[in-house]
Amino acid sequence: MSAPMRIAVAGAGLIGRRHIELIEASQGCVLAGIADPSPAAVDYAGAHNVHCYADHRALLAQEKPDGLIIASPNALHLQMALDCAEAGVPALIEKPVTDTVAAAQRLCVAVKRTGVPMLVGHHRRHNPIIKAARETVATGKLGQLTAVVGLWLLKKPDDYFEVAWRYQQGGGPLLINLIHDIDNLRFVCGEITEVQALTSNMVRGFAVEDTAALLLRFANGALGTVTVSDATPAPWSWELTAGENAIYPRQDQPCYVFAGTSGSLSVPTMELWSYPQSPGWHAPLSRNPVALAGYDPLVEQLRHFLAVIAGREQPLISVEDAMATLAVVEAVSEAARTGQKISPGHIMEQAA
Ligand SMILES: NC(=O)c1ccc[n+]([C@@H]2O[C@H](COP(=O)([O-])OP(=O)(O)OC[C@H]3O[C@@H](n4cnc5c(N)ncnc54)[C@H](O)[C@@H]3O)[C@@H](O)[C@H]2O)c1
């Protein structure tokens, strides 16, 4: 059996510590070190028997890890990933891949030039729910996809906004939360070619939105709507319905509906609706459950990252793919600002 891989983590905050727990629980890897300039990280690293570096470049040079998980604030992702590329260290970069599409374009160039594999942490693609939804659409069980509905409605507590960056540009639900749903929708339905949007900050009056309404056109011709608000008590969000994280009390409700000419699917409730006999609005509809495998998407993401480092698997979410997700979110902001239809493809071309 080969030796466990040595995986380091840059940014030992909320999600970084979750990655560290997963590394420590894994048979395939061990924690190689932590990079984080905060005083709290030094004690945390000590408790986990590794060295804490204030600078990720020192960690890369000293520890020479097999891989680095980048779990630092968004604006630092680009430089850390560029440094990994130069050092030949594969990286798992938390979402969003970078803070802007222009920065993601720079990273794409570096990845192509160096050939160092990079995986982006849109971990919901590893969730069996989303894999089964993608499979249902891809195998034609819904027929031709016509319409998609997405809801992300929940209530963030008032003290969430005591941290300054959460009410400043980039800190709202579009870049923090909606980006996950956009990535799910792209993974299940394919590319989004056109975006229209309205945003509102009516509830809190912050610089960032609290509510947004989106219209989407997919390359396959389907149309979609997504409604977002972080200011309402409601069960219809991925967080409250998917059961991915126990801190959110799970509700037996859908947050997406995928509708096609032969059937429709509610997700994560995974109910497939269709006509067993001749179709028509007076005929009885049947409701059938879609079977799911059961595993933790974050555990699966780490397994996949180790396989990517070893060259056994290609990244499920490449930098280029994650850039396309980020471009849709930028298109939403641009569409809301200008009142125009915006093409995410155009945003990427402009940034290249
Ligand atoms: N996949 C998900 O569901 C998910 C969930 C939460 C956060 N995230 C992403 O993970 C990243 C971190 O988010 P978080 O909520 O853990 O933030 P956080 O503020 O809790 O943690 C960030 C950590 O980075 C450290 N840091 C700051 N500057 C640094 C530097 N120069 N080098 C190394 N470390 C540095 C901070 O001290 C802090 O410990 C963000 O990009 C966020 O979007 C993803």
Side-chain angles (χ1 to χ4, degrees):
M1 217 172 104
S2 51
M5 285 185 181
R6 300 178 61 257
I7 305 298
V9 174
L14 195 73
I15 196 80
R17 290 181 185 209
R18 181 82 185 100
H19 285 297
I20 289 167
E21 286 167 15
L22 293 164
I23 292 167
E24 290 177 335
S26 163
Q27 302 287 312
C29 57
V30 293
L31 185 63
I34 291 174
D36 192 316
S38 77
V42 176
D43 293 342
Y44 179 83
H48 290 258
N49 301 314
V50 291
H51 193 70
C52 186
Y53 296 83
D55 188 319
H56 66 280
R57 279 162 296 206
L59 177 146
L60 291 173
Q62 297 290 316
E63 300 291 347
K64 300 191 182 351
D66 295 309
L68 179 70
I69 298 181
I70 299 176
S72 55
N74 300 348
L76 302 178
H77 291 188
L78 172 66
Q79 192 55 54
M80 288 185 167
L82 288 175
D83 291 332
C84 283
E86 294 313 322
V89 175
L92 163 53
I93 310 163
E94 263 302 344
K95 56 60 53 179
V97 56
T98 49
D99 54 346
T100 64
V101 172
Q105 288 283 17
R106 280 187 61 196
L107 185 54
C108 282
V109 172
V111 168
K112 264 187 200 136
R113 180 174 55 76
T114 60
V116 175
M118 304 242 165
L119 171 69
V120 181
H122 283 293
H123 68 272
R124 294 178 190 182
R125 287 200 196 186
H126 300 283
N127 193 306
I129 296 168
I130 283 301
K131 286 190 173 174
R134 177 178 155 98
E135 170 88 356
T136 302
V137 171
T139 52
K141 291 195 181 75
L142 304 185
Q144 184 187 352
L145 202 63
T146 61
V148 178
V149 179
L151 291 176
W152 191 84
L153 302 173
L154 54 59
K155 173 92 175 143
K156 287 181 180 169
D158 291 344
D159 63 4
Y160 176 89
F161 296 98
E162 285 168 7
V163 182
W165 66 267
R166 290 178 176 154
Y167 54 81
Q168 291 162 0
Q169 217 61 52
L174 294 186
L175 199 56
I176 294 177
N177 310 105
L178 174 76
I179 192 163
H180 282 296
D181 297 289
I182 294 295
D183 194 67
N184 279 349
L185 296 186
R186 285 188 58 246
F187 191 54
V188 174
C189 308
E191 287 308 335
I192 293 167
T193 55
E194 201 173 287
V195 175
Q196 297 178 60
L198 295 173
T199 56
S200 165
N201 64 352
M202 181 181 74
V203 178
R204 301 192 186 91
F206 291 153
V208 293
E209 68 288 337
D210 45 59
T211 304
L214 281 58
L215 285 178
L216 306 173
R217 187 188 297 280
F218 291 84
N220 60 14
L223 302 181
T225 62
V226 181
T227 307
V228 175
S229 181
D230 67 9
T232 177
W236 302 292
S237 61
W238 177 267
E239 281 80 349
L240 287 185
T241 60
E244 224 171 45
N245 188 339
I247 62 172
Y248 299 100
R250 188 175 192 176
Q251 309 297 325
D252 187 22
Q253 295 285 330
C255 66
Y256 307 134
V257 171
F258 299 96
T261 50
S262 311
S264 53
L265 176 72
S266 65
V267 175
T269 32
M270 303 312 278
E271 290 178 334
L272 183 56
W273 295 81
S274 62
Y275 290 111
Q277 282 136 23
S278 54
W281 58 10
H282 297 151
L285 267 168
S286 73
R287 174 168 65 168
N288 292 302
V290 174
L292 288 181
Y295 50 80
D296 180 336
L298 286 175
V299 172
E300 168 56 17
Q301 175 177 257
L302 180 59
R303 183 210 63 75
H304 175 59
F305 182 43
L306 301 183
V308 166
I309 295 172
R312 290 193 303 274
E313 293 177 20
Q314 290 300 309
L316 180 65
I317 310 120
S318 66
V319 169
E320 206 167 0
D321 200 351
M323 173 174 70
T325 291
L326 182 59
V328 176
V329 178
E330 281 195 11
V332 170
S333 297
E334 181 75 358
R337 194 179 60 76
T338 61
Q340 303 291 311
K341 289 179 197 164
I342 304 291
S343 146
H346 185 60
I347 298 243
M348 285 189 283
E349 280 161 25
Q350 276 184 321

